[in-house]
Structures are given as structure tokens and as C-alpha cells.
Amino acid sequence: MTDSIVFFHNPQSRARIVHWMLEESGADYRTELLRFDRNEHKAPQYLAVNPMGKVPAIKHGDTVITEAAAICAYLADAFPAANLAPPVNSPERGTYYRWMFFGAGCVEPAFVDRMFKRPQVDRPGALGYGSYEDTLQALETALKPGPFILGERFSAADVYIGSQIAWGMLAKALEPRKIFQDYVARCGERPAFQRAAAQDEKYMKELQQA
Ligand SMILES: N[C@@H](CCC(=O)N[C@@H](CS)C(=O)NCC(=O)O)C(=O)O
């Protein structure tokens, strides 16, 4: 598809993950900033894009994609020249899916529960992520061979998991173990990450001034 992408963004949100991913993918995109302080994300025009009234979202042609992990996976496939996902049917594809979905299904709720100090449940086995400790252990397993989740090959799974680990440490939802710090530092060396981060700083100023 050759249409340009519309990126619904707020620099103080999970949309930063997608911003980085857009930069990695080489996609042509334009950004629409949504101000939380003016509730622009709950306005009818935006609810027509994402009924959750949340960012990130992208629109590619007539297709809307929401959910940061889904957007990362979509962009990796839509822009194959950037080589951000292993080929379908390759063994690596399984590993890629495994950790991408683990990020969305386990890491995300484990970190958010931790951040909000939500009480432990009686039956952790009924929680998708089991326990915070098990989730961290599994993350370490994913990162240990290194340098990235698929070894030498950087992928969209690193954009997603790397962003979560960075955010988790910042929000004190994740112990700053060395393996996490080193991984985040490696991710931070990506020129695409740096371009998105620099642009996000500008957006933050823009939003503060207006
Ligand atoms: N499951 C969504 C979560 C998106 C999300 O919660 N975004 C927050 C910002 S980080 C948001 O838009 N919050 C505004 C609100 O819900 O009012 C994803 O992974 O993309």
C-alpha cells in the first residue's frame, strides 16, 4: 500500500513506541498530536478512529490499527525493506511472535499492576502473567543470548519490548537489573530511536507552550 500513514500521537504516552517504530520502518507518515489536557483523544472525531479514546493509533489508507504491539507488527510487515520481522514460516518468526505477544499479554499488565501496587491475587495461576517475578525471569530468558531478542537481528519485538523495559525502569515498575539496563542502552543507540526521541522532545515543548 502506497498511502501515507496518519499517526495519532501524544509524546507522553505509549505512542512513543510507535513513533520509534515508524522511524525504524522508513514509512511515510504525518503526525496528528492529540492533547490530553483538552481531551482531544475523547472527541467524537477521534473516537471514530479508536473507540477506546487512546493513543497510539495509525491509519493506513482506510485501515485503522490500534494497540502498540499490533502497530509494530503491522508496520514491520507493511515495510519489509526495513527487515524488522523474520520471514513468515521461518523458525525465528515463532520466537518473534512469542515475545511480542508476551510483551503485550504479560509484561504490560505485570508492570502496570506493579506501578499501581495492585494487591496480589489469591490464585496467581489464574493471572495471564502469573507473577511479577516469573515475568521478569522470562524476560531475562528472552534477553540473555542477546544482543537482541532474535540474537544479532534487531526486530520490531525489540521496539516493543525495549520500550516497555525502558518505561518500566523509569516508572519504577521494573528492577533495574544490569541485563535490562544494557539492553535498553543498546536499543537507545538506534538512530531511529534517537530521531523519534528528539522529535518527541520538541512535541513536548510545543504542547507545554500552547
Ligand atoms: N493497550 C493500548 C494502551 C494504550 C493506552 O493506554 N494509551 C494511554 C496513554 S499511554 C492513553 O491514551 N490514555 C488516555 C486515556 O485513556 O484517557 C496499547 O498498547 O496501545
Side-chain angles (χ1 to χ4, degrees):
M1 201 192 299
T2 53
D3 302 81
S4 163
I5 290 174
V6 185
F7 169 39
F8 298 93
H9 186 33
N10 181 293
Q12 274 180 305
S13 79
R14 292 167 173 89
R16 276 190 178 230
I17 305 171
V18 167
H19 195 183
W20 174 17
M21 184 63 200
L22 281 161
E23 286 294 326
E24 289 283 356
S25 71
D28 178 29
Y29 69 97
R30 84 177 157 79
T31 303
E32 281 204 14
L33 282 185
L34 294 173
R35 297 191 64 121
F36 289 158
D37 57 341
R38 292 187 191 154
N39 259 350
E40 289 174 352
H41 56 310
K42 304 295 177 188
Q45 306 90 290
Y46 186 64
L47 291 176
V49 174
N50 183 1
M52 291 290 282
K54 283 181 173 290
V55 291
I58 65 168
K59 199 162 180 214
H60 195 192
D62 291 330
T63 305
V64 168
I65 306 111
T66 62
E67 299 302 313
I71 298 172
C72 288
Y74 174 84
L75 290 172
D77 290 344
F79 298 90
N83 208 15
L84 293 163
V88 175
N89 297 329
S90 69
E92 280 184 313
R93 186 80 175 191
T95 310
Y96 166 78
Y97 277 144
R98 175 186 178 188
W99 295 114
M100 184 74 101
F101 282 81
F102 181 76
C106 298
V107 176
E108 159 101 25
F111 285 9
V112 171
D113 283 357
R114 186 79 172 188
M115 188 175 93
F116 287 111
K117 299 188 173 56
R118 292 173 91 176
Q120 302 265 317
V121 294
D122 294 341
R123 289 191 300 125
L127 279 183
Y129 70 81
S131 72
Y132 174 78
E133 288 72 24
D134 286 352
T135 305
L136 260 54
Q137 214 43 52
L139 262 185
E140 280 213 6
T141 307
L143 299 181
K144 211 165 210 159
F148 296 109
I149 287 174
L150 299 178
E152 293 298 327
R153 175 192 196 127
F154 179 85
S155 75
D158 296 297
V159 173
Y160 189 62
I161 298 273
S163 298
Q164 288 189 310
I165 291 182
W167 174 83
M169 288 195 291
L170 205 70
K172 309 234 180 304
L174 175 62
E175 293 162 22
R177 296 182 189 171
K178 187 165 182 324
I179 191 165
F180 299 141
Q181 289 171 325
D182 291 349
Y183 175 62
V184 166
R186 274 194 297 282
C187 289
E189 285 166 10
R190 305 278 304 172
F193 172 87
Q194 292 170 5
R195 283 196 301 277
Q199 186 61 52
D200 281 334
E201 291 318 307
K202 289 188 189 156
Y203 286 145
M204 298 274 274
K205 288 201 180 102
E206 233 176 271
L207 293 179
Q208 276 154 14
Q209 280 160 8

